[in-house]
Amino acid sequence: MTAPPTAEQPWPVRTVARKIAEWVDRLGSVWVEGQLAQVTARAGTGTAFLVLRDPAADVSLQLTAPMGLVREGGPAVAEGNRVVVHGKPSFFLGRGTLSLRVDEIRAVGIGELLARIERLRRLLAAEGLFDRARKRRPPFLPGCIGLITGRASAAEHDVVTNAQARWPAVRFRIESVAVQGGLAVAQIVDALGVLDRDPEVDVIVLARGGGSVEDLLPFSDETLCRAVADCRTPVVSAIGHEPDTPLVDHVADVRCSTPTEAGRRLVPDLAEETARIAGLRDRARRALAGWVDREERLLAALRGRPALADPLRTLDARAEEVARLRESGRACLVRGLDRRAGDLEHVRARLTTLGPAATLARGYAVVQRVPAGGSAVDGSGEPLPVLRSVDEVAPGERLRIRVADGAVAAVVGGAGTKGRPREKRASTP
């Protein structure tokens, strides 16, 4: 066995190449599917060189095949065709390249391609990528439209021309890509990412003209379908003609049968919208005029009612009622005051009759005792006690005798025995 290489004893290039060739030679034969990107079959040589490209990725593989095998393949072995090859990997020591020695080449038939597309369609449908619930409605008037199509293609012309004819101010951001072949899927996916990250783009359009099933294969690719499903911006699919329905049509938010229809559906028609606005303005004007007429009739009816036709009539009636009630109240108050005045005079007369002045006027007198040091004439100070019995005075006490027209002072002159009444005299000083 060869000793492992070290920095002091490295392997020469031939040894490394030989070991790689031995390892590759131990690999078995494989079936590989791809798209022929290059076919080089020069006359007078026994070997043809081909390049097989992965349609969904930028990966290619070198093929070598006998010239007889390429000639037997006929038109199927041509650049751009999808094929299935059988071969064994080999490593060329001289150039250090890896290739696949092919011993069989089969063209991929339309039926097989459609079967593969149908299997992918069922898979994507089962994952919910076709559900209507996840589809978004594009804006009514997008500010900027992202367009992914072939460079200077008829699809680009149809979309832009029809959209600008309907709305002249529409703006586009166009990403030109390959729309068929091995590079189409990768370029379209990259363009989708660029437009989806642009905040000014409101809707993205995938547009391509008609073609064969092989030409439209990139738009049924699983990678592209999942990229469309992951877009945050609404995506419109306008691939081929009416009968063409690649899988991206089912994943996109809106499907248009042709690029021309896409241009018409992306933006509203300026003339139609102007006419619609004019019609709505007329309807609003008529509705407003009708409402004003109804309100005027209502006001006229209200104005014709008696309360509003002659509002002072009610006020005059209420004023007369107030005056009548005021006079009635005044008369009632006067009668009450008269009754109360009569009652007051009656009470005053009774009080006068029953009062001491009336009694004194009939010849009676009120005798009061005058305390020592007090005045017997004016009666100022504390009220003098009224004499009620002869036993309450003694000889020599001063008295005050009040009569109808004044008062006189007197002194007790006689005395009586207590317990036996005797006449006491009073002398006036």
Side-chain angles (χ1 to χ4, degrees), residues 227-245:
V228 170
D230 293 338
C231 281
R232 296 173 298 176
T233 307
V235 178
V236 177
S237 174
I239 307 301
H241 302 300
E242 180 65 34
D244 300 325
T245 54

Side-chain angles (χ1 to χ4, degrees), residues 334-396:
V334 170
R335 287 194 299 271
L337 291 177
D338 291 343
R339 286 195 299 270
R340 296 301 180 270
D343 294 343
L344 183 59
E345 289 298 329
H346 179 68
V347 171
R348 184 182 294 112
R350 290 183 60 187
L351 290 177
T352 302
T353 304
L354 297 177
T359 302
L360 293 178
R362 291 198 298 271
Y364 291 93
V366 178
V367 180
Q368 296 173 300
R369 295 173 57 194
V370 179
S375 175
V377 179
D378 54 9
S380 60
E382 294 295 330
L384 300 179
V386 177
L387 183 62
R388 303 180 183 277
S389 172
V390 296
D391 294 333
E392 295 180 359
V393 295

Side-chain angles (χ1 to χ4, degrees), residues 41-62:
R42 297 177 181 176
T45 61
T47 303
F49 298 92
L50 305 90
V51 176
L52 190 66
R53 187 188 303 275
D54 192 319
D58 190 13
V59 178
S60 59
L61 182 65
Q62 297 290 331

Side-chain angles (χ1 to χ4, degrees), residues 118-254:
E118 179 61 22
R119 287 194 296 271
L120 180 58
R121 187 191 68 80
R122 289 197 295 267
L123 173 63
L124 298 179
E127 294 181 8
L129 268 65
F130 299 167
D131 291 346
R132 291 185 177 275
R134 60 170 298 278
K135 296 184 182 298
R136 296 151 297 181
R137 179 179 297 179
F140 174 73
L141 181 59
C144 180
I145 299 174
L147 177 59
I148 300 176
T149 186
R151 184 182 303 277
S153 62
E156 176 184 344
H157 177 268
D158 290 345
V159 173
V160 175
T161 301
N162 284 277
Q164 290 180 345
R166 292 171 61 84
W167 197 271
V170 65
R171 293 189 300 115
F172 281 92
R173 177 176 177 179
I174 301 176
E175 294 290 330
S176 298
V177 297
V179 292
Q180 68 182 51
L183 299 178
V185 174
Q187 292 184 10
I188 295 173
V189 171
D190 292 341
L192 273 174
V194 171
L195 294 179
D196 192 36
R197 289 189 297 269
D198 189 345
E200 295 185 356
V201 175
D202 296 326
V203 63
I204 300 174
V205 181
L206 295 176
R208 187 200 188 283
S212 63
V213 176
E214 294 87 345
D215 294 338
L216 300 180
L217 278 179
F219 297 96
S220 293
D221 187 84
E222 181 179 1
T223 303
L224 177 58
C225 291
R226 295 189 182 278
V228 170
D230 293 338
C231 281
R232 296 173 298 176
T233 307
V235 178
V236 177
S237 174
I239 307 301
H241 302 300
E242 180 65 34
D244 300 325
T245 54
L247 294 183
V248 75
D249 281 354
H250 303 287
V251 181
D253 298 288
V254 178

